[in-house]
Amino acid sequence: MKIDSPGRLFSRLACGLLLAAMLGACATNNSLAIRESDELAGQGRLEEALVRLESALKEKPNNAELRLAVAQTREKIISRQLRQIQEQLKQENGKRPQEETPRAIAVEKPLPAGMDKPINVDFKGATLSQVCQVLYRTAGLNFIFDKDVPLDQPISITLRRTPVRDVLSLILLSQQLEQRAINADTVMIYPNTPSKARDYQPLTVRSFYLTNIEAKTAAATLRTILKARDLVADEKQNVVVMRDTPEAIRMAEKLLAVHDMPEPEVMLEVEILEVKRSRLQELGLLWPSSLMLTPLASTVGAPLTLKDLINTTSASLGAAIPTFGINARAESGDTNVLANPRIRTRNREIAKIMIGDRVPNITTTSTSTGFVAESVQYMDIGLKLDVQPTIYLDNEVAIRINLEVSNIAGIVQSKSGTQAYQIGTRNASTVLRLKDGENQVLAGLISDEERSSGNKVPGLGELPILGRLFGSTRDEGQKTELVLSITPRLVRNIKRPGIEQTEFSIGPESAMRPSAPDMSYFTEAVPAPAPPAAPAGLR
């Protein structure tokens, strides 16, 4: 066993202490960087904490603890940014309805807050100038009058607890006047005539991009209901361009919001079944029905002469008798022809189903010069079904059905040799109303044919019982029944709009307004307290 010297042991001990000191220093530096970053993160300074950790990681790129701390800090920064973005989007969504209206229809500037103040008024023969002075002192509103406005015309009006804006609207309405807001504090008053309206009413141009309703239909609706001034229907892009007052633009927007709705659609599950039953029975004896006698020539190969016919004997006559046979046959058949189409169609649109063949029918035409021309026309032979649904708001569907089943019953040949087809057909037409998912079966289209024929020996075949031995009978029957089953399944229906969407006020015909003054102020049951000293005409 080898024992190290004291000097060697001392050097090993010194190396171990030095290595332990270095590891401790590294751990101290790592914990210091992490501790500092935690303090910065606690203060909400995540970006600074990330810079501190990345700086320590550059010095020790292989340190797993620092890399983990850097990744966690980056994740915290990203999460905070996502939360900020979500909160910002929520705030923008909450403000969007108020912000979109001015951008879309250019609403005029709001009037002073005093316009919403409820007041009591009692004017008896006051002039328009005096009334406007009272409203000026009450609401701080400036007035500009057109040169044709009669300022000395007497006004008599009594209102109780009515906002200033409604007081002004009612006074102007009673005097056949109109107003326009110049700015937040000034109102222009002018006569409500077409010429003055063209001079003072601001106009707005709005393009309505439509999705479901056609542009020409929307333009006709706006022209009829709103008496819109200028309308252009772009059928290519399905856009309606309207130029009118801001109030008319707002009414058009409400009107089109109700009418521009997707059309309802329905899936029709159709099952068509054709059942054929046929039977054939032949029973009896086939007796010879004829006897053919042929004179034989006297000399082999020589032609037959008149002398040979006169001297004919039983030995010189040849006889030909049809074959005797027995008929005993019975046949039966049962055929089902099934079609199960599913077709999706829009409301009031006709859907067609054709299952079968197109048979050519050749027509020959000849001229006086001897020229012969042939033309070919194709006929649809088989099953044809036309359905037209009408979808109602109560999820019921009325279906107009036209069903036709045709087949080639025979071929007819003309004198010139041209062939034509004899077509057998069965038709059914009806209108029915079903609920969503309700099934209806239409049956009873039956074609029943019975044929009976016989081949008997005259006299003997008429005998009772024994007569069956001297003849053969053929009984044939064919019965066809057509069954139609149809089930409507709604894919999409129209939702009935609420009364707040389908009914709204547009004011008088002479001056369109988005809403009329609130009449609830005129029916208030509680009397208003009399205010202290007030200007003349204001109570």
Side-chain angles (χ1 to χ4, degrees):
M1 181 177 179
K2 186 178 180 181
I3 300 175
D4 293 334
S5 61
R8 198 167 186 175
L9 289 173
F10 178 77
S11 61
R12 288 184 177 181
L13 181 59
C15 291
L17 292 175
L18 180 60
L19 180 60
M22 292 175 63
L23 292 175
C26 293
T28 303
N29 292 335
N30 295 343
S31 60
L32 178 61
I34 294 174
R35 185 169 62 254
E36 291 178 354
S37 65
D38 290 341
E39 293 176 356
L40 293 172
Q43 300 173 5
R45 300 155 61 185
L46 291 176
E47 289 78 4
E48 297 180 15
L50 180 61
V51 172
R52 178 68 181 90
L53 291 173
E54 288 178 345
S55 176
L57 185 61
K58 287 181 180 179
E59 297 177 0
K60 300 178 178 58
N62 297 327
N63 191 285
E65 188 177 4
L66 289 175
R67 283 191 295 181
L68 179 61
V70 169
Q72 292 176 346
T73 306
R74 287 177 178 172
E75 184 178 357
K76 292 179 181 178
I77 294 175
I78 294 174
S79 300
R80 186 179 65 179
Q81 291 176 349
L82 289 176
R83 287 194 301 270
Q84 292 175 353
I85 293 174
Q86 291 175 354
E87 293 177 359
Q88 184 177 1
L89 290 176
K90 290 181 180 179
Q91 294 176 358
E92 291 179 356
N93 291 335
K95 296 179 180 179
R96 186 166 299 169
Q98 292 79 10
E99 295 177 354
E100 285 183 351
T101 302
R103 290 199 301 268
I105 56 179
V107 175
E108 300 174 9
K109 295 181 179 179
L111 296 177
M115 295 291 287
D116 295 325
K117 177 183 178 182
I119 60 174
N120 299 337
V121 296
D122 186 9
F123 295 107
K124 302 295 184 182
T127 63
L128 179 62
S129 177
Q130 294 173 342
V131 171
C132 291
Q133 290 178 5
V134 172
L135 296 180
Y136 164 75
R137 290 192 292 268
T138 304
L141 192 62
N142 302 320
F143 293 93
I144 301 177
F145 301 96
D146 183 83
K147 61 183 182 63
D148 296 329
V149 174
L151 299 178
D152 55 350
Q153 186 172 352
I155 299 175
S156 298
I157 186 172
T158 301
L159 300 173
R160 183 161 50 88
R161 298 192 63 183
T162 305
V164 174
R165 67 173 66 253
D166 291 344
V167 172
L168 178 60
S169 297
L170 292 171
I171 292 174
L172 297 180
L173 183 63
S174 65
Q175 301 299 313
Q176 296 182 352
L177 300 174
E178 191 54 79
Q179 61 177 325
R180 175 191 173 188
I182 302 299
N183 52 40
D185 302 316
T186 307
V187 175
M188 166 67 74
I189 297 178
Y190 57 91
N192 186 10
T193 60
S195 60
K196 294 297 181 179
R198 286 193 296 268
D199 294 337
Y200 289 106
Q201 281 187 348
L203 298 180
T204 302
V205 176
R206 174 73 181 275
S207 297
F208 295 97
Y209 286 83
L210 306 174
T211 303
N212 303 288
I213 188 175
E214 294 183 357
K216 59 181 181 180
T217 304
T221 302
L222 297 178
R223 188 176 291 109
T224 303
I225 302 300
L226 301 181
K227 304 297 188 293
R229 296 184 178 182
D230 300 316
L231 283 174
V232 176
D234 187 350
E235 298 183 9
K236 184 176 181 181
Q237 299 186 19
N238 205 34
V239 176
V240 172
V241 182
M242 179 177 177
R243 184 174 75 97
D244 213 313
T245 61
E247 292 80 7
I249 295 294
R250 287 197 292 271
M251 297 303 105
E253 186 176 15
K254 292 182 178 180
L255 193 60
L256 292 179
V258 177
H259 289 270
D260 190 18
M261 300 179 67
E263 293 189 28
E265 294 187 30
V266 63
M267 176 75 75
L268 299 177
E269 298 179 356
V270 183
E271 186 175 5
I272 304 171
L273 181 66
E274 187 177 16
V275 182
K276 291 184 178 180
R277 298 181 180 89
S278 61
R279 61 178 180 83
L280 174 64
Q281 180 176 341
E282 287 183 316
L283 183 62
L285 301 177
L286 291 178
W287 291 92
S289 58
S290 62
L291 174 62
M292 303 296 294
L293 298 177
T294 305
L296 300 177
S298 58
T299 306
V300 178
L304 186 65
T305 63
L306 182 59
K307 181 180 178 180
D308 294 334
L309 292 177
I310 296 174
N311 298 325
T312 299
T313 62
S314 59
S316 60
L317 288 176
I321 301 175
T323 306
F324 175 83
I326 300 175
N327 271 339
R329 184 176 65 165
E331 295 180 358
S332 63
D334 191 356
T335 305
N336 296 340
V337 180
L338 179 64
N340 188 17
R342 300 179 64 188
I343 186 168
R344 177 173 174 174
T345 181
R346 295 192 305 176
N347 186 29
R348 302 181 185 275
E349 296 289 339
I350 298 177
K352 297 184 177 182
I353 300 173
M354 170 63 193
I355 302 174
D357 300 321
R358 304 198 70 188
V359 178
N361 189 17
I362 302 175
T363 304
T364 303
T365 305
S366 60
T367 61
S368 58
T369 59
F371 178 76
V372 179
E374 292 184 348
S375 61
V376 180
Q377 296 179 350
Y378 288 90
M379 299 180 297
D380 294 330
I381 304 298
L383 186 146
K384 291 190 292 185
L385 178 64
D386 296 347
V387 290
Q388 183 180 13
T390 302
I391 303 174
Y392 298 96
L393 293 177
D394 56 356
N395 292 335
E396 291 191 358
V397 183
I399 308 174
R400 183 180 299 274
I401 301 176
N402 292 317
L403 176 64
E404 178 182 345
V405 178
S406 57
N407 63 303
I408 299 177
I411 299 177
V412 180
Q413 190 169 5
S414 64
K415 294 181 180 180
S416 61
T418 304
Q419 291 183 348
Y421 296 100
Q422 180 183 353
I423 307 300
T425 180
R426 282 170 289 169
N427 299 297
S429 179
T430 184
V431 179
L432 48 89
R433 183 163 177 169
L434 303 175
K435 296 181 180 179
D436 181 22
E438 182 181 359
N439 177 261
Q440 179 64 47
V441 177
L442 303 178
L445 294 176
I446 300 175
S447 174
D448 196 356
E449 297 181 2
E450 295 287 343
R451 293 187 180 92
S452 180
S453 60
N455 185 8
K456 302 177 182 180
V457 177
L460 298 177
E462 301 297 334
L463 296 175
I465 301 176
L466 292 179
R468 301 184 64 88
L469 299 177
F470 298 95
S472 175
T473 59
R474 177 187 177 96
D475 296 327
E476 183 178 1
Q478 184 173 350
K479 185 176 181 181
T480 305
E481 182 178 4
L482 193 65
V483 180
L484 171 66
S485 172
I486 186 167
T487 304
R489 300 194 184 276
L490 286 177
V491 178
R492 178 178 58 245
N493 199 359
I494 296 179
K495 293 183 179 180
R496 189 190 299 271
I499 189 64
E500 68 280 356
Q501 295 176 291
T502 57
E503 180 179 348
F504 49 87
S505 174
I506 62 173
E509 186 174 1
S510 60
M512 184 177 299
R513 295 182 178 88
S515 61
D518 189 355
M519 305 302 292
S520 63
Y521 298 106
F522 309 147
T523 58
E524 184 69 31
V526 180
L538 179 63
R539 294 184 178 179

